[in-house]
Amino acid sequence: MEKCLLEDILGGIGDIEDFAEAAADLSRFSRNKRLYDYQREAVHNCLKLLYLYYRDYRFEGENTGKSKERLIRVYEEARPGFSLENRLERYTKDRKGSLNEKFVYFTRNRYFEQTVGDGVEYIEAKHFYNRCAFWMATASGKSVVIVKLIDLLKRLMERNLIPEKPILLLTPKDYIVEQIMREAEDFGGDPDGENEIEFISLKDFEGYDKPVSAGSTDVFYYRSDLIREKSTENFISHCDMDNDGNWYVILDEAHRGDNDYSLAKGYFTALTRNGFLFNFSATFADEIDFQTTLYNFNLEKFIEHRYGKNIFLSNTLYTFRRSGSELDELEKQKEVIKSFIVYSAIRRSWAERGLYHSPLLMTLVGTVNTSHSDLKTYFRIIELLVNGKIERELYLEAKRELLEREFHGDRIRYSLGKESLEITDKVYSGKSFFELLEETEIATILSDLFHSSTFGKIEFIHSEDVQETGMKLETSEKIFGLIKIGERDKFEKSIMSDENNYSVTKSITIDSIFERIETDPDITMLCGSRAFYEGWDTNRPNVVNLIDIGSRDARKFVPQAIGRGIRIRPTEDSRRRLDRGDHRKNQLLETLFVFATDRDVMDTVAGGKKSHDRETGEERELSKRKDRATYRSGSGDPVRTKLALSPETYRNFREFFLACPCELLYIKYGLLYGEYCLIKDNLSGDMGGSEWFTPAEYDYSDMAWLLRRLITHVRILRTESTRGKKGENTDG
């Protein structure tokens, strides 16, 4: 799929005549703030587009149809045969027997002329070229660009370069428009402080007739999700505010990429049928938005240009959805412990307190108050750790898997961009990342994450005034963490029912812990639910756990979650990663380590299903199986991993397997005869001679679960073997 055609077109536009003079200094925002280069380029591209669309307005007056036709020709000249027609099939057309709600809406209200051809009624794509999209990552400063765009529109209208029309700002959440308002307060369009921006509720539009040249820049605003076809107590009818389609609409979609074909976007298109639609989002999914993107600075580009942390996507996948067997619960413990080990190593790399930030571990979950909620499971594992109930063998296996499967080799290629994380360079007070991981013990985690030298119960600090719950160990004076969720009281009542493991302290006057999260280095852990994914930013997260955020929600929620921790500020005056040659550089604090529930979630962040071999740097395909991480290297050879278990478990499993008839294993587990023979052959001798097992000090008691895991392992190996044979036949 081709993307960002409009951006390519605008890259070839040079002289824009009086439009350039009217824009003044595109880099200036206020007395103390200037736009980053990418923000300035985004506004500059928008200026070029407005020139292409309205360049004849000052000579001939407004002619919307002619302006759209001119833009169509620009697209077609850049890519012969191009048309938005096929990009809009789901958006406008009425195929036989299948009514598109936007088509019905547009034609019923006579907003656009309908055409009949080949037995199909439709609205021609030519009506929808008066739009553009800004594809900008979370944390890239969309609010600053929006304020600068508002000022640009005002200047162009004042100079009669574009038609005079009211400006409407639409956002899906109140906090987004509040954030834009705060940026507007800081904005100084003119050196003398004039040209202020005034925000007016859309409810007050009726009867408004103030000329654009009179005083401040007026911007109407409203919640985009509260605009409907008919007015009610809580909703505004766009028909009442139609203004004959003469609006400049700035739509901040935030992360609404899962809802691109909603009827609501039809309302915004109708409002701008004789104006212009400016769409901002971090997560576009609609083809028309890709093609009309005038500037692309998405997450990948944001990181490549060093404005955000590099992202490492762990191969460890959370299995919180599974429940029942003893082994399932032990696997969950290992998964959480791995993220704690990584955090502890990062924390100890933070040597110079004047640089970077105090690292933070952030856990975001899908369920909070269900009977087997992710948050409850997570806290029960924390409770086991801080009370000294995690088995030593399990902890060692978790660390060994990190060292042998995640962080072996000299360097690891990041998931986005071209950089690599150095594993063995001694850059952290004379130690390498590998050494920091290797020396991490449970006692180290207690100190780094929980501020305690001894085990102890978790004490929850319940505030009546602030809807959040603080956490500390009874053996420490410092608060280490914060829970910020919707139904806090219900969760507290449920999780705190076991008084032997938790205690509660009631507080009436406690200040908000969340308010000081950016400045308090003692806050090491933050736990929240989906309601917590947006509306705030911090430089501090270096480890993010995304638990039970399934692929259905990934497009919307994963970029939100990553956006909360992607910012970087190594020094007071720098918001970019330091140069590789800078002696102050700390790669660990410039990295966001992400642990998630499934591979689809990871793909949403990385933008593909490719990772890289830890030792050779070759690209490899990642298996989507959660039970086993198995890879094929770029050379075609399978990279096999063994199942780690104790010799006693090996003997018990061999007895269990050999005692079961092949027919029974087929009926109960779906084990095929060929698979049965392979497993039987590998169990015929001692453990040391097996290709599939490696000795470990870790016992398993659930033989049925272990068999299912082994079956998965066998099938992956057989698949790799089949691929290898096909390759041999092809070569021959």
Side-chain angles (χ1 to χ4, degrees), residues 592-660:
L592 190 65
F593 293 84
V594 180
F595 297 80
T597 297
D598 60 49
R599 181 56 56 189
D600 287 338
V601 170
M602 307 302 234
D603 293 341
T604 302
V605 179
K609 296 179 176 63
K610 295 287 184 182
S611 186
H612 292 82
D613 187 272
R614 299 295 194 250
E615 296 176 346
T616 67
E618 294 176 301
E619 283 194 344
R620 66 190 184 185
E621 260 183 50
L622 296 178
S623 168
K624 281 194 176 184
R625 296 182 183 274
K626 300 175 190 176
D627 307 86
R628 199 81 211 133
T630 310
Y631 315 105
R632 172 169 291 279
S633 72
S635 63
D637 297 325
V639 182
R640 295 174 180 170
T641 55
K642 293 186 176 184
L643 300 176
L645 62 160
S646 69
E648 182 179 356
T649 299
Y650 175 81
R651 290 191 295 270
N652 291 340
F653 179 74
R654 183 172 60 183
E655 292 177 7
F656 163 80
F657 183 85
L658 296 178
C660 296

Side-chain angles (χ1 to χ4, degrees), residues 297-444:
F297 206 69
N298 60 13
L299 181 61
E300 183 170 5
K301 289 183 177 291
F302 188 69
I303 292 173
E304 283 181 356
H305 286 77
R306 300 183 13 241
Y307 286 101
K309 300 184 182 83
N310 280 306
I311 296 179
F312 172 82
L313 304 179
S314 172
N315 290 324
T316 296
L317 303 179
Y318 279 109
T319 58
F320 275 34
R321 296 172 186 167
R322 291 203 304 248
S323 61
S325 72
E326 174 188 350
L327 192 53
D328 284 339
E329 301 310 310
L330 295 175
E331 285 295 319
K332 294 172 188 176
Q333 293 175 29
K334 278 202 305 180
E335 292 152 8
V336 173
I337 288 170
K338 286 180 183 180
S339 70
F340 289 176
I341 293 173
V342 171
Y343 173 83
S344 183
I346 298 170
R347 180 85 178 185
R348 278 173 286 122
S349 78
W350 182 47
E352 297 185 52
R353 295 301 194 258
L355 295 172
Y356 293 99
H357 54 269
S358 169
L360 180 74
L361 184 148
M362 184 168 66
T363 297
L364 303 175
V365 301
T367 56
V368 173
N369 282 315
T370 59
S371 57
H372 299 288
S373 81
D374 307 316
L375 194 57
K376 292 176 186 176
T377 301
Y378 185 72
F379 268 96
R380 290 194 176 100
I381 294 171
I382 293 177
E383 177 259 314
L384 290 173
L385 179 72
V386 299
N387 283 282
K389 296 179 181 179
I390 294 291
E391 294 293 334
R392 174 70 177 167
E393 291 77 8
L394 184 143
Y395 175 81
L396 291 175
E397 182 170 348
K399 183 162 71 171
R400 182 167 53 249
E401 288 180 4
L402 277 177
L403 295 174
E404 294 178 358
R405 301 179 187 178
E406 296 270 21
F407 301 115
H408 66 79
D410 293 334
R411 60 185 57 84
I412 299 174
R413 185 75 172 268
Y414 284 116
S415 302
L416 294 179
K418 299 178 181 179
E419 294 186 17
S420 296
L421 172 63
E422 303 298 328
I423 302 298
T424 56
D425 285 2
K426 297 180 182 296
V427 293
Y428 313 109
S429 301
K431 294 182 179 179
S432 68
F433 181 35
F434 188 90
E435 289 171 329
L436 290 172
L437 291 169
E438 196 172 33
E439 70 182 20
T440 301
E441 297 291 341
I442 292 179
T444 321

Side-chain angles (χ1 to χ4, degrees), residues 642-645 650 653 682-683 687 690-695 710:
K642 293 186 176 184
L643 300 176
L645 62 160
Y650 175 81
F653 179 74
N682 250 276
L683 293 171
M687 188 178 186
S690 173
E691 295 181 358
W692 296 352
F693 302 97
T694 186
L710 186 58

